[in-house]
Amino acid sequence: MTSETAPENLRTFYADPDLLRDRQQTYAGAGFAGWVLERLDLRKVGDVLDAGAGVGRFTLPVAQRLADRPARVVAADLFDGMLRTITRAAVQRGVTVGTLVADIQALPFPAGRFDLVLANHVLYHLPDLDRGVRELARVTRPAGVLVATTNADDIPVAVIDLHRAALDRIGAPAEPAEPSTFSLRNGEAVLRRSFHDVTLHTFRDQQVFADAAELVAAYRTTGRFRAAVEKTGADLDGAASQVAAEWANRQGGRLTSPIVMGAFVCAGPRPTASSPRPS
């Protein structure tokens, strides 16, 4: 687990909607949300929960796809600033989205409430992952679906490599990388404890940075950068700029970073004491 995925750092690293939006463009690839939704059958979907919705990367496209029917889309997040951002964007796009401050580990909804539940790039933040997944299964209808997205744990990421190189340049230690609690490698086992059927779809893309300055700008949006600057007081921006420029020179000015993520599509929520059972 890195500093950005550690639950205790959520408010520091994820409460700013603008920084989250910029970071998603770096890590996630522009077409990821659409790619995920294309793998779902939305024809019979009415009620949708986007749990840990952030700035609405999935909430808004879902609401637009369901705008021609009496569907209800709800975005839940720990931070009301994120939810206000979603509300403004929904008005601009002419769609209706309900919002609620809520914790995935204790969702304030009755059992079997939603046809489609989304939990995208959020489950690795949960202090009690199994409890959170059980809650998501609880609010999913017996014939409903949960979609949970996450990253590959073994793919180099340019901004993370730059972070470590910049820290090395100023002589500061980098925190050791720890495996994610919910990744493409281990996510299925977690989800199968609460769902009968789990299918993984893998997304591959590439982030291309026009020059060293664009890579450094992406790095500045990360919680790693802000935390390290606060901790060391050093010119980490300058060190990162030097390193990125050296990389660009070696690579003929072209800087790239692979993107490997995936979507677990889960059906057949396992009943709990408070979950409805199929008739």
Side-chain angles (χ1 to χ4, degrees):
M1 181 177 294
T2 67
S3 59
E4 277 197 271
T5 59
E8 64 271 18
N9 291 330
L10 285 179
R11 186 164 298 279
T12 300
F13 295 163
Y14 286 87
D16 188 323
D18 292 332
L19 288 174
L20 177 58
R21 186 183 296 106
D22 291 343
R23 186 161 56 252
Q24 286 176 345
Q25 290 302 312
T26 297
Y27 287 123
F32 182 59
W35 178 89
V36 172
L37 295 178
E38 287 170 2
R39 277 143 186 82
L40 305 178
D41 183 357
L42 300 178
R43 289 174 297 179
K44 296 182 180 180
V45 170
D47 296 318
V48 179
L49 170 66
D50 191 355
V55 294
R57 178 170 47 138
F58 283 81
T59 318
L60 298 166
V62 166
Q64 288 179 300
R65 283 167 169 78
L66 302 182
D68 62 346
R69 71 187 75 167
R72 175 168 171 76
V73 178
V74 178
D77 200 273
L78 284 176
F79 303 111
D80 57 3
M82 297 292 181
L83 299 176
R84 288 195 299 271
T85 297
I86 292 174
T87 298
R88 289 193 296 269
V91 171
Q92 293 170 354
R93 299 189 188 196
V95 296
T96 300
V97 175
T99 61
L100 183 70
V101 174
D103 184 344
I104 290 175
Q105 298 166 120
L107 292 168
F109 303 108
R113 172 69 176 79
F114 298 98
D115 301 301
L116 173 62
V117 178
L118 306 170
N120 295 310
H121 281 75
V122 68
L123 293 181
Y124 41 62
H125 292 304
L126 300 184
D128 189 334
L129 177 57
D130 278 311
R131 177 183 174 188
V133 174
R134 286 196 302 271
E135 271 291 88
L136 294 170
R138 182 184 66 81
V139 301
T140 302
R141 287 180 177 149
V145 170
L146 166 72
V147 177
T149 67
T150 189
N151 303 310
D153 223 9
D154 53 357
I155 299 298
V157 179
V159 291
I160 298 176
D161 291 345
L162 181 60
H163 174 65
R164 294 183 175 279
L167 288 175
D168 183 68
R169 182 64 57 94
I170 65 174
E175 64 177 17
E178 298 180 11
S180 171
T181 58
F182 186 81
S183 68
L184 297 189
R185 179 177 296 177
N186 58 22
E188 181 174 348
V190 175
L191 294 166
R192 282 195 179 278
R193 291 196 283 270
S194 293
F195 289 85
H196 289 287
D197 301 311
V198 179
T199 302
L200 172 62
H201 302 273
T202 303
F203 174 88
R204 299 179 186 275
D205 199 355
Q206 186 177 63
Q207 178 73 21
V208 179
F209 301 95
D211 51 31
E214 188 171 292
L215 173 57
V216 174
Y219 171 47
R220 291 193 199 102
T221 70
T222 67
R224 291 177 178 85
F225 171 77
R226 299 196 302 280
V229 169
E230 182 177 341
K231 182 178 180 179
T232 67
D235 182 15
L236 195 60
D237 187 284
S241 296
Q242 292 174 7
V243 171
E246 293 167 5
W247 289 357
N249 287 336
R250 288 200 298 268
Q251 300 178 38
R254 179 183 173 89
L255 292 166
T256 62
S257 182
I259 296 171
V260 181
M261 301 181 297
F264 291 102
V265 178
C266 311
R270 298 181 187 275
T272 64
S274 59
S275 298
R277 295 179 181 272
S279 58

